[in-house]
């Protein structure tokens, strides 16, 4: 299921089997699930499992990381929106998201360079990056987002001194992660959390470059702008996808990592 990225077309029996194996033994669950997976299970499509439907959910490297997560900061800077090249609906996605926030700064076209994007992230309260993503499980530090002038990798994130509270990565696969010895989370998500970002919303599977993703991301940001925590905003966005096939994909593909 993970290797093929076929959550949207997975037989319900397979999802139910995972649900019975991993979630059923936990017994009665509350409204919010905080999941600290063992190494190798960070990319599991948790949201597609029946017993986790309609629950706020956060994926964390460890229970300790959840307990010591930093509080949200109050900043007056605008929300940062950046997009990389060669994505058909990226401009429409940023336009829809921009309408949700009182103030935004947009980096697109030639302005969306690696240097400009990293500089814009520094001090921003919320950032949204829509780009082609590459997740290097073999060498997680080279996981990257394709910006106007090349890849923005984990290395570039180390220069951020005042990281955003929330970063949304509208990019395929970048939510996949590997856990190093000591449970350190690697890859782009791990790099952002390691740089001090409180919450990362990212996809573990390919998302369609269509109007459905535009609507999904617009609803996500409307909720965030209204003060909802990321896990609650994700639930709201998932409710906008009514087609049963697509609903499984959007529930299973996108996760909230880190804090909330």
């Amino acid at each position: 299921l993970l290797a093929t990225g076929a959550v949207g077309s997975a037989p319900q029996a397979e999802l139910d089997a995972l649900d019975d194996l991993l979630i059923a033994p936990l017994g009665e669950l509350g409204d919010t699930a905080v999941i600290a997976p063992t190494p190798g299970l960070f990319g599991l499509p948790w949201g597609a499992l029946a017993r986790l439907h309609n629950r706020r959910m956060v994926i964390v490297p460890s229970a300790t990381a959840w307990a010591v997560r930093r509080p949200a900061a109050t900043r007056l800077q605008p929300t940062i929106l950046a997009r990389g090249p060669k994505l058909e609906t990226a401009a429409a996605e940023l336009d829809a998201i921009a309408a949700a926030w009182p103030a935004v700064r947009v980096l697109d076209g030639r302005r969306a360079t690696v240097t400009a994007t990293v500089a814009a992230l520094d001090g921003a309260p919320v950032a949204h990056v829509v780009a082609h993503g590459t997740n290097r499980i073999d060498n997680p530090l080279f996981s990257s987002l394709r910006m106007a002038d090349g890849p923005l990798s984990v290395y570039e994130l180390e220069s951020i001194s005042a990281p955003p509270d929330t970063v949304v990565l509208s990019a395929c696969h970048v939510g996949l992660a590997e856990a190093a010895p000591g449970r350190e989370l690697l890859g782009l998500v791990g790099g952002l959390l390691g740089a001090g970002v409180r919450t990362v919303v990212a996809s573990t599977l390919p998302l369609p470059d269509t109007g459905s993703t535009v609507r999904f991301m617009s609803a996500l940001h409307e909720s965030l702008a209204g003060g909802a925590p990321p896990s609650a905003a994700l639930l709201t966005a998932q409710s906008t996808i009514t087609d049963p096939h697509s609903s499984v994909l959007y529930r299973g593909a996108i996760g909230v990592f880190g804090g909330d």
Side-chain angles (χ1 to χ4, degrees), residues 14 25 30 46 56 96 99-100 106 109 132 142 147 159 167 194 207 217 227 232 255:
E14 292 186 15
W46 298 98
R56 293 171 54 183
V106 178
H132 286 293
F142 287 98
M147 306 310 296
S159 65
V167 174
L207 290 177
M217 292 300 178

Side-chain angles (χ1 to χ4, degrees), residues 51-243:
R51 289 179 175 84
L52 294 177
H53 288 180
N54 301 318
R55 283 186 171 84
R56 293 171 54 183
M57 187 168 49
V58 182
I59 302 167
V60 298
S62 67
T64 300
W66 169 258
V68 301
R69 65 196 186 281
R70 72 174 177 84
T74 300
R75 300 192 181 99
L76 300 178
Q77 292 96 323
T79 295
I80 298 300
L81 308 179
R83 66 178 176 96
K86 298 182 179 179
L87 285 164
E88 290 184 6
T89 62
E93 184 172 322
L94 293 198
D95 287 344
I97 293 168
W101 293 97
V104 297
R105 179 186 173 194
V106 178
L107 299 175
D108 56 7
R110 294 181 179 179
R111 296 182 297 174
T113 64
V114 171
T115 299
T117 302
V118 172
L121 291 175
D122 207 334
V126 176
H128 180 99
V129 182
V130 52
H132 286 293
T134 299
N135 201 63
R136 291 282 301 274
I137 296 299
D138 61 323
N139 196 336
L141 290 176
F142 287 98
S143 298
S144 63
L145 299 167
R146 187 191 306 171
M147 306 310 296
D149 59 343
L152 191 170
S153 72
V154 173
Y155 284 112
E156 278 77 32
L157 301 175
E158 296 176 351
S159 65
I160 300 175
S161 59
D165 285 323
T166 302
V167 174
V168 180
L169 300 178
S170 183
C172 296
H173 298 296
V174 295
L176 286 174
E178 283 289 305
R183 300 299 300 276
E184 179 185 6
L185 194 60
L186 302 177
L188 272 169
V189 170
L192 286 165
L193 295 177
V197 173
R198 190 170 188 270
T199 307
V200 180
V201 182
S203 172
T204 60
L205 298 170
L207 290 177
D209 187 15
T210 66
S212 294
T213 298
V214 173
R215 290 192 299 274
F216 181 94
M217 292 300 178
S218 176
L220 176 74
H221 279 272
E222 286 178 6
S223 293
L224 290 173
S231 60
L234 183 60
L235 271 182
T236 297
Q238 288 167 344
S239 71
T240 67
I241 307 299
T242 56
D243 173 70

Side-chain angles (χ1 to χ4, degrees), residues 2 22 35 37-46 59 177:
L2 290 174
L22 298 173
I35 301 173
T38 57
L41 292 182
F42 282 97
L44 194 72
W46 298 98
I59 302 167

